[in-house]
Amino acid sequence: MNLEFNKNEDHNRQLVNQLQRKLRQIKLGGGADRIEKHHKKGKLTARERITYLADKKQPFLEIGAFAGEGLYEEHGGCPSGGVVTGMGYVQDRMCVIVANDATVKAGAWFPITAKKNLRAQEIAMENRLPIIYLVDSAGVFLPLQDEIFPDKEHFGRQFRNNARMSSMGIVQIAAIMGSCVAGGAYLPIMSDEALIVDKTGSIFLAGSYLVKAAIGEVIDNESLGGASTHCEISGVTDSKYDSDEQCLDAIKDIFSKLGSSENAGFSRVKAVPPKVDPKEIYGVLPAERVKPYDTMDIIKRLVDESKFSPYKADYGKSLICGTTRIEGWSVGIVANQRLVVKTKKGEMRMGGVIYSDSADKAARFIMNCNQRKIPLVFIQDVSGFMVGSRAEQGGIIKDGAKMVNAMANSVVPKFTIIIGNSYGAGNYAMCGKAYDPRLIFSWPTAEMAVMSGASAAKTLLQIKVSAAKTKSEPMTKEQEQEYLDHITEKYNSQLSPYYAAARMWVDGVIDPLESRQAIAMGIEAANHAPIIEKFNLGVIQT
């Protein structure tokens, strides 16, 4: 190993260590003191409930762990959005699990909580997976009610999804393990089966204080909406249990009796690990983002047996396309090539930039994968499409649109891993969040924005300088540098993968070594949903 490899490895391992430290902190939820108070009530925490419920020898893929990071600081923060969500297995049945974290503001719903819950429901609906709700929430966080209540992607959308999933035949099981208040009461009751824990679970449209204020009735919460009331009198809930563990055991029993479902028929053989050590990814990926590297060196460390069958290997070299297997699953990969490539015409092409021929190649490859029912994996390290007169005259917009059209209309499931840059229209063409990847994850090395911090700062500086000259108030060199530094610093802070993950632009930030498992679980989930749409491009410019 050379010095450059060692330098890269040290840098990237530090980023992974930082990721692991952040995750350890997030998993404390509202903090050790609140966890202790939770335990004194005889309750398990959200993460303890998931650990008890999910199969021990199977992986749990968390979705949105960093949701809310750095947001709502004026309200004391909202670690992980106050809810834990992910894909796991219960009684060998893959499912989605949603567990309110009552150690965070009593499980109250912040705007990001709604976004995260809706993402979990979206995953269940797209993949036709059963979903389990472990409910323990005080309802909407009232100081932010205007950001969570009435809009299409707000709180109420989850109840619409409850109804839609029911009509689709998707199993929904809800366990009321704490408070379940106001509008939130509809979520468990719109599920197929509603379980409740005695003495700690409660469900009502209005609590005792509001009932007294509204109609003058004096009643305690247990009599108003406790387990006995709803299992013996109202019939709102189906069965009650003495503890969290008994309730979770009942869910396991329900899942042990579920019938089998259809599948999409994606190809899978016995998984084989890469021949080239995946841990070497840390040394291959440059610490300095501007440095070129061969993306095939990454791919070989991600795929089974390090085998890859390229598509049009000698054409459109700024994009790598080809078929392979990941954990036994057949996949088609579209990846940005970061090498500087010299064409036969002597043209030097920058790495990470999409050119016309590359876009054309990718569009054709995506069509082939749809024809052959092969899921697609996009590996992003993209600076955008090529610009300039030569590119424009060559039809870069037309060819880029063709690629976007093929990718957007793809009916096979798509998965995206952002390993480096994810800038501008490159993010779109390489299946960014706006294009419905079944799962999208970032490595700690990722950066996402319209353009790099340096490019954005220089562009904004030019506008500022031009405006100042128009007003006959030219800026000094010192003022220009100060403005440039300020914009660069601000912009760079927004490039962080954690900034994106906090806002659910990605499903999470993962260690590169977790990529194979994340993709494999995503395809296994997608295999539960037979493809019923036909691939159709519509109108494209040729």
Side-chain angles (χ1 to χ4, degrees):
M1 299 298 175
N2 59 33
L3 184 61
E4 188 69 21
F5 183 98
N6 293 336
K7 178 183 174 183
N8 294 339
E9 185 177 40
D10 289 344
H11 173 80
N12 290 320
R13 284 188 181 278
Q14 285 177 22
L15 291 180
V16 170
N17 288 337
Q18 180 189 43
L19 165 64
Q20 292 168 345
R21 286 196 301 272
K22 284 176 172 286
L23 283 171
R24 283 195 294 271
Q25 182 61 41
I26 278 172
K27 288 179 180 180
L28 290 175
D33 290 345
R34 291 182 185 176
I35 290 173
E36 186 179 352
K37 289 178 182 178
H38 205 70
H39 287 161
K40 285 181 178 178
K41 295 177 183 177
K43 298 166 68 175
L44 300 175
T45 65
R47 293 184 182 278
E48 289 169 344
R49 287 166 179 165
I50 291 174
T51 298
Y52 186 91
L53 175 65
D55 295 349
K56 301 296 181 287
K57 294 183 180 180
Q58 297 273 35
F60 179 75
L61 181 63
E62 186 163 354
I63 304 295
F66 290 103
E69 183 178 85
L71 306 178
Y72 318 117
E73 294 301 319
E74 67 277 22
H75 298 291
C78 186
S80 215
V83 62
V84 183
T85 62
M87 294 162 50
Y89 301 80
V90 173
Q91 299 295 294
D92 287 324
R93 186 66 176 260
M94 189 176 236
C95 62
V96 174
I97 302 175
V98 177
N100 298 114
D101 186 350
T103 70
V104 179
K105 300 292 183 183
W109 282 61
F110 284 69
I112 198 66
T113 317
K115 190 170 185 177
K116 186 171 175 178
N117 270 42
L118 292 175
R119 176 60 177 146
Q121 289 184 321
E122 179 182 46
I123 290 170
M125 293 169 79
E126 284 182 330
N127 300 296
R128 294 184 175 269
L129 293 177
I131 185 168
I132 299 167
Y133 306 102
L134 306 180
V135 186
D136 194 346
S137 171
V140 167
F141 185 66
L142 292 178
L144 297 174
Q145 65 86 25
D146 62 321
E147 298 178 37
I148 190 175
F149 169 60
D151 209 346
K152 181 178 178 180
E153 301 302 330
H154 284 179
F155 188 71
R157 183 78 171 183
Q158 67 174 337
F159 312 133
R160 176 264 189 194
N161 286 349
N162 283 141
R164 292 290 302 134
M165 281 192 277
S166 182
S167 72
M168 294 166 68
I170 296 171
V171 174
Q172 299 177 83
I173 306 298
I176 301 157
M177 312 185 83
S179 297
C180 189
V181 183
Y186 287 104
L187 184 143
I189 308 311
M190 292 186 74
S191 298
D192 302 332
E193 195 159 349
L195 320 179
I196 189 168
V197 180
D198 196 18
K199 301 297 185 288
T200 55
S202 60
I203 179 169
F204 35 65
L205 294 181
S208 56
Y209 292 122
L210 183 54
V211 166
K212 182 177 180 180
I215 63 174
E217 181 183 2
V218 178
I219 188 170
D220 63 89
N221 282 338
E222 184 63 26
S223 301
L224 181 66
S228 295
T229 295
H230 286 310
C231 284
E232 300 169 20
I233 301 173
S234 73
V236 166
T237 52
D238 300 310
S239 47
K240 65 178 179 178
Y241 302 90
D242 292 333
S243 67
D244 282 9
E245 290 87 349
Q246 286 185 17
C247 187
L248 296 169
D249 285 336
I251 295 175
K252 292 180 186 181
D253 183 60
I254 292 169
F255 265 64
S256 71
K257 297 180 175 68
L258 293 181
S260 61
S261 58
E262 298 178 70
N263 65 56
F266 301 131
S267 170
R268 191 180 199 185
V269 298
K270 185 178 179 180
V272 180
K275 281 188 176 179
V276 187
D277 188 355
K279 292 178 183 177
E280 291 177 2
I281 288 173
Y282 299 137
V284 170
L285 202 61
E288 297 177 45
R289 302 301 306 124
V290 296
K291 287 193 173 182
Y293 64 93
D294 190 348
T295 306
M296 277 305 307
D297 288 338
I298 300 291
I299 293 173
K300 288 176 182 177
R301 290 164 173 80
L302 290 177
V303 304
D304 289 12
E305 294 187 279
S306 301
K307 287 184 177 179
F308 183 79
S309 301
Y311 174 79
K312 291 183 179 287
D314 298 322
Y315 176 73
K317 292 185 177 181
S318 71
L319 280 175
I320 296 172
C321 298
T323 53
T324 184
R325 290 188 182 272
I326 294 178
E327 289 292 327
W329 291 103
S330 171
V331 299
I333 287 181
V334 181
N336 302 109
Q337 176 56 282
R338 289 292 307 197
L339 281 179
V340 176
V341 177
K342 186 176 183 179
T343 68
K344 288 184 178 181
K345 295 179 181 179
E347 176 190 4
M348 297 301 294
R349 292 191 166 185
M350 294 181 290
V353 176
I354 302 175
Y355 291 80
S356 285
D357 52 1
S358 301
D360 175 67
K361 177 174 83 170
R364 290 167 182 257
F365 178 71
I366 290 167
M367 288 186 246
N368 281 352
C369 287
N370 275 269
Q371 180 81 355
R372 301 168 190 178
K373 206 152 72 170
I374 299 174
L376 287 159
V377 175
F378 292 82
I379 300 177
Q380 285 196 19
D381 191 350
V382 58
S383 302
F385 286 89
M386 189 57 191
V387 297
S389 61
R390 189 170 181 176
E392 299 293 359
Q393 291 167 13
I396 185 65
I397 296 175
K398 177 184 66 178
D399 290 319
K402 189 189 303 182
M403 178 181 173
V404 171
N405 196 314
M407 181 273 301
N409 282 297
S410 175
V411 296
V412 295
K414 307 184 293 275
F415 304 89
T416 303
I417 305 290
I418 305 173
I419 70 173
N421 300 336
S422 180
Y423 295 156
N427 169 279
Y428 299 159
M430 293 295 292
C431 197
K433 184 66 180 289
Y435 290 84
D436 296 325
R438 295 293 178 94
L439 293 172
I440 176 170
F441 286 100
S442 289
W443 288 359
T445 49
E447 293 185 350
M448 188 185 303
V450 173
M451 62 183 76
S452 70
S455 296
K458 289 174 183 176
T459 301
L460 291 171
L461 177 61
Q462 289 178 35
I463 295 170
K464 181 85 169 177
V465 170
S466 179
K469 286 180 179 178
T470 301
K471 295 178 182 178
S472 299
E473 299 173 355
M475 298 174 68
T476 66
K477 291 295 181 184
E478 290 76 13
Q479 288 174 323
E480 288 183 17
Q481 188 60 49
E482 183 179 351
Y483 182 78
L484 186 66
D485 292 343
H486 171 71
I487 294 298
T488 301
E489 182 180 355
K490 180 182 177 182
Y491 209 90
N492 283 342
S493 69
Q494 296 175 354
L495 289 172
S496 164
Y498 300 105
Y499 188 92
R503 291 154 179 80
M504 293 294 294
W505 299 344
V506 295
D507 291 319
V509 183
I510 60 173
D511 183 335
L513 301 185
E514 297 171 338
S515 302
R516 279 172 54 84
Q517 184 181 92
I519 294 168
M521 285 188 70
I523 299 174
E524 183 181 348
N527 200 41
H528 286 77
I531 298 173
I532 55 176
E533 292 182 84
K534 290 185 177 180
F535 180 62
N536 191 332
L537 284 182
V539 177
I540 60 171
Q541 297 285 344
T542 57

